[in-house]
Amino acid sequence: MDGVPTATVEVRHDQRYAGPSTYTLAKLWRLAAETIVAYSDKPLRLSVRFGFVLALLAFCYGVYIIIRAALYGSSITGWSSLIVSIYFIGGIIIAILGVIGIYLGKAFDEVKKRPLYIVMHTTFDGGRKPD
């Protein structure tokens, strides 16, 4: 963070004394998904890339259909242009939604403008506060 000094705290963890963990694979998966969505903009960046790739593939498929129709004729009139249009517009919409999400995420982070942790007091010798 800007202007806030940071430090690391080394922690030694003991073995679990209460038996095996009760976290199932589904609970771990849900925790991972929540963490990724809450603390990262990677899913939004992936949606932008996916949207542009989808639009590019739709454009390439449209070019292929035009060339094939010019050389061999069209089998079903109107179907190809409709499908290409739907996929192209869908890809652009997905990309735009990702860009808007990234923008909102950056605005939200800027509005918070606070560090995750600020330590006001530290304790020494069994909880006695320093003088």
Side-chain angles (χ1 to χ4, degrees):
M1 295 287 159
D2 297 331
V4 178
T6 60
T8 59
V9 177
E10 293 186 22
V11 178
R12 185 180 61 86
H13 294 280
D14 292 333
Q15 280 192 341
R16 184 177 174 87
Y17 63 89
S21 174
T22 59
Y23 263 70
T24 62
L25 184 61
K27 286 181 182 179
L28 287 172
W29 187 258
R30 201 170 319 131
L31 177 65
E34 285 285 329
T35 303
I36 290 170
V37 170
Y39 298 107
S40 175
D41 63 347
K42 272 286 197 225
L44 294 171
R45 293 186 187 281
L46 287 175
S47 71
V48 171
R49 287 186 184 141
F50 175 73
F52 282 132
V53 166
L54 184 63
L56 179 68
L57 290 175
F59 180 77
C60 292
Y61 185 60
V63 170
Y64 166 75
I65 288 172
I66 290 171
I67 292 172
R68 196 179 95 197
L71 296 177
Y72 304 112
S74 180
S75 58
I76 301 174
T77 307
W79 180 86
S80 302
S81 61
L82 180 66
I83 295 301
V84 168
S85 299
I86 289 172
Y87 278 112
F88 183 77
I89 296 298
I92 296 298
I93 289 172
I94 290 170
I96 289 172
L97 285 174
V99 169
I100 290 171
I102 291 170
Y103 174 76
L104 287 176
K106 287 187 180 291
F108 180 68
D109 288 341
E110 191 66 29
V111 166
K112 286 193 302 187
K113 201 66 171 175
R114 61 179 184 210
L116 292 177
Y117 301 101
I118 296 177
V119 178
M120 297 181 91
H121 300 284
T122 58
T123 58
F124 302 99
D125 298 331
R128 187 178 62 87
K129 290 184 180 180
D131 296 325

